[in-house]
Amino acid sequence: MINTTTSLRKHQLASVNQFHIRAPKTADWSSCGVGKSLVALSKFDALYSIGLVKYMLVVCPVSVMSSWRDEIKKHTSFTVTTLSGTMEQRINKLNGDSQIYLITYDAIASRGIGKMSMFMALMGKFHNGNMIVCDEATMIKSIEAKRTQALIALCDGIKYSMFLSGTFIPQDLQDIFTIYRAMDGGQTFGENIHEARNNYMDNVGDAYPHWILREDKREEFLSKLYLRAVRLRKEDCVDLPPKVTEIRKCHLTAQQAVHYNKMRREFHVEYEGGLITVNNVLSKLSKLQQIIGGFIYDDKKIAHKIPSAKYDLIGEILSQVGDDKVVIYARYIEELNQIQDYLKSNGYKCTCLHGSLPEPTRAANIKKFRTLPEIKVLVAQISTGGYGLTVVEANHIIYFSMTFSLIDYKQSQDRIHRIGQTKTCIYHYLLIEDEFKTPVDQYIYDSLIRNNDLASALSDFEEIQKLEKIL
């Protein structure tokens, strides 16, 4: 390998030499933090060195692009181009002399004015050989989506591929057939996704579809998952420091208690200018979570602030961690804004990461947090900051509020607990303790640590009934 400048660890070297270069289309479902991106770069380098490929396309979420650029620069002598800008600018960039190109999932199926098509331009560049990497492969979902159909057609036209995910089992299990159809062209489960689903799953839904794995097909299904994929556990191949959990509790403020109890009992909250109402238990759960977080969105998406004691817990933690850097995760944009205001008013310099920021701003903010000693805190939205980042400069994570998604939660934990971390990683959970039956953040926390994905479970009638009793 002549272009990789970093020596591979033992598990990475074995993964490349004994698995990934032995088959054109493979997947790496290893745990987050074990260096899958370097393995993918090494597979490309091996193929490039013997003339089998000239270019590699990396398809990834926008939040991961800066990490890929950093990894390519750190570990290889390859040049990289990000396919961003207008359609015309993206297509023109494909005419460059870089070996590696980065693009988002959404951009693959995009079309410009007239006959310009990103898909056709990509096919022209990467077909007949070359390599495609699909990072965070659980982004590949419904077969009916145009971007999924475009991705499958693109992967079918590129000889070498490698799919990556540390949490590769999707929230909706039937999406696994779409992921594998894109990954290996149908070699594992067949080309017809619906036939594969019907073979391995049963629809037990009543008013809406709810697909579950058939017990008589479980063993066969699980064995097929690893025919063209490798999965290494972090604890088996990387010597990392321990993880510690700390629960920090506080009570609702008087104003929070009034709003929380009224929403819990009567499904509405009064605010200046009108009412906030909900019509089902899931939206009620979200509104109660917002109240606990110190605000509530009205029907026009306008945020109304409510004093919260959770900010005092943030101050306590930051005063105790010394010079250690900290990542603070929250679910809602309004929480991120209020956390930043609190930090700045108390003399802490911070930077932010959320889905509404353009990719260059995200990359710049991450770089500031990683390289500037005075930037002590990264405030991040879980759905954005939980993927693809390596921030081993921090060893504390504060969960101000929690996501419903088990995948998002598990991904977020591994941003600090990965190769390069030398300190004990401490996870602080801010939870409400009060007289109500079960505060919603306690319910969400309990569900996630039991590996229960609320995003999927709350489509189940029995789980909804259980939640109605709790609330």
Side-chain angles (χ1 to χ4, degrees), residues 153-196:
L154 183 62
C155 290
D156 284 351
I158 299 176
K159 184 173 182 179
Y160 299 96
S161 67
M162 188 167 169
F163 280 38
L164 310 176
S165 178
T167 48
F168 80 100
I169 299 297
Q171 293 178 9
D172 189 343
L173 187 59
Q174 64 178 317
D175 288 340
I176 201 73
F177 302 109
T178 311
I179 294 171
Y180 271 74
R181 172 62 185 85
M183 187 269 286
D184 63 17
Q187 296 179 69
T188 298
F189 292 108
E191 294 186 16
N192 190 308
I193 293 170
H194 298 297
E195 285 185 4

Side-chain angles (χ1 to χ4, degrees), residues 67-297:
S67 296
W68 269 102
R69 287 195 296 268
D70 291 344
E71 291 288 292
I72 293 164
K73 181 178 180 180
K74 178 181 178 181
H75 299 303
T76 80
S77 59
F78 291 123
T79 54
V80 58
T81 294
T82 302
L83 301 177
S84 58
T86 65
M87 177 67 67
E88 184 177 2
Q89 289 171 333
R90 293 174 188 171
I91 292 177
N92 287 339
K93 288 177 180 180
L94 279 174
N95 296 323
D97 57 0
S98 294
Q99 292 84 39
I100 302 177
Y101 295 82
L102 308 180
I103 193 170
T104 65
Y105 284 95
D106 289 330
I108 290 176
S110 59
R111 301 186 66 88
I113 300 173
K115 295 183 179 180
M116 284 193 300
S117 163
M118 197 71 235
F119 170 76
M120 294 304 298
L122 292 169
M123 284 294 289
K125 180 82 171 184
F126 294 97
H127 78 295
N128 289 337
N130 298 306
M131 179 172 167
I132 184 170
V133 171
C134 291
D135 194 12
E136 305 298 351
T138 51
M139 297 286 293
I140 304 167
K141 299 185 184 297
S142 171
I143 186 60
E144 282 75 28
K146 288 183 178 179
R147 75 173 194 178
T148 301
Q149 295 173 6
L151 179 66
I152 288 175
L154 183 62
C155 290
D156 284 351
I158 299 176
K159 184 173 182 179
Y160 299 96
S161 67
M162 188 167 169
F163 280 38
L164 310 176
S165 178
T167 48
F168 80 100
I169 299 297
Q171 293 178 9
D172 189 343
L173 187 59
Q174 64 178 317
D175 288 340
I176 201 73
F177 302 109
T178 311
I179 294 171
Y180 271 74
R181 172 62 185 85
M183 187 269 286
D184 63 17
Q187 296 179 69
T188 298
F189 292 108
E191 294 186 16
N192 190 308
I193 293 170
H194 298 297
E195 285 185 4
R197 180 198 62 192
N198 293 339
N199 184 34
Y200 288 94
M201 305 182 77
D202 288 324
N203 181 11
V204 298
D206 185 12
Y208 44 82
H210 180 55
W211 292 89
I212 63 171
L213 188 64
R214 289 171 49 185
E215 283 301 320
D216 63 323
K217 287 285 188 176
R218 180 177 295 274
E219 185 175 348
E220 177 186 337
F221 173 80
L222 294 176
S223 66
K224 282 193 172 185
L225 291 181
Y226 299 101
L227 290 176
R228 294 169 184 85
V230 63
R231 178 167 176 78
L232 302 174
R233 298 188 307 166
K234 182 163 51 179
E235 55 268 32
D236 294 334
C237 56
V238 184
D239 186 16
L240 290 176
K243 299 166 72 173
V244 175
T245 296
E246 284 197 1
I247 305 296
R248 304 268 184 150
K249 292 191 175 185
C250 62
H251 293 277
L252 292 173
T253 63
Q255 190 173 344
Q256 278 180 307
V258 170
H259 290 319
Y260 187 100
N261 210 17
K262 193 170 185 64
M263 176 63 74
R264 184 177 64 84
R265 292 196 314 259
E266 302 178 26
F267 277 56
H268 76 268
V269 166
E270 297 175 359
Y271 71 97
E272 185 177 351
L275 291 175
I276 300 172
T277 58
V278 297
N279 54 20
N280 59 62
V281 70
L282 184 55
S283 59
K284 178 182 176 183
L285 178 64
S286 297
K287 292 300 183 185
L288 290 174
Q289 187 184 33
Q290 291 171 18
I291 293 170
I292 286 176
F295 80 103
I296 191 167
Y297 285 128

Side-chain angles (χ1 to χ4, degrees), residues 247-253 256-257 260 292 309-310 313 429-443:
I247 305 296
R248 304 268 184 150
K249 292 191 175 185
C250 62
H251 293 277
L252 292 173
T253 63
Q256 278 180 307
Y260 187 100
I292 286 176
K310 282 193 175 184
L313 294 181
Y429 297 86
L430 310 188
L431 305 179
I432 290 293
E433 181 178 44
D434 57 46
E435 70 276 15
F436 299 124
K437 296 178 181 178
T438 301
V440 296
D441 55 353
Q442 183 73 54
Y443 166 75

Side-chain angles (χ1 to χ4, degrees), residues 271-336:
Y271 71 97
E272 185 177 351
L275 291 175
I276 300 172
T277 58
V278 297
N279 54 20
N280 59 62
V281 70
L282 184 55
S283 59
K284 178 182 176 183
L285 178 64
S286 297
K287 292 300 183 185
L288 290 174
Q289 187 184 33
Q290 291 171 18
I291 293 170
I292 286 176
F295 80 103
I296 191 167
Y297 285 128
D298 64 23
D299 297 338
K300 297 180 180 180
K301 298 297 182 182
I302 298 174
H304 301 267
K305 293 183 179 181
I306 307 171
S308 173
K310 282 193 175 184
Y311 295 97
D312 293 333
L313 294 181
I314 291 177
E316 290 178 9
I317 294 169
L318 293 180
S319 67
Q320 295 167 5
V321 300
D323 295 330
D324 290 347
K325 291 201 171 194
V326 178
V327 178
I328 300 179
Y329 280 124
R331 181 182 179 189
Y332 298 100
I333 296 292
E334 179 60 26
E335 291 173 329
L336 303 184

Side-chain angles (χ1 to χ4, degrees), residues 361-375:
T361 304
R362 299 186 197 189
N365 287 352
I366 294 167
K367 184 176 181 180
K368 288 178 184 177
F369 177 69
R370 297 185 65 184
T371 61
L372 299 180
E374 63 270 24
I375 304 295

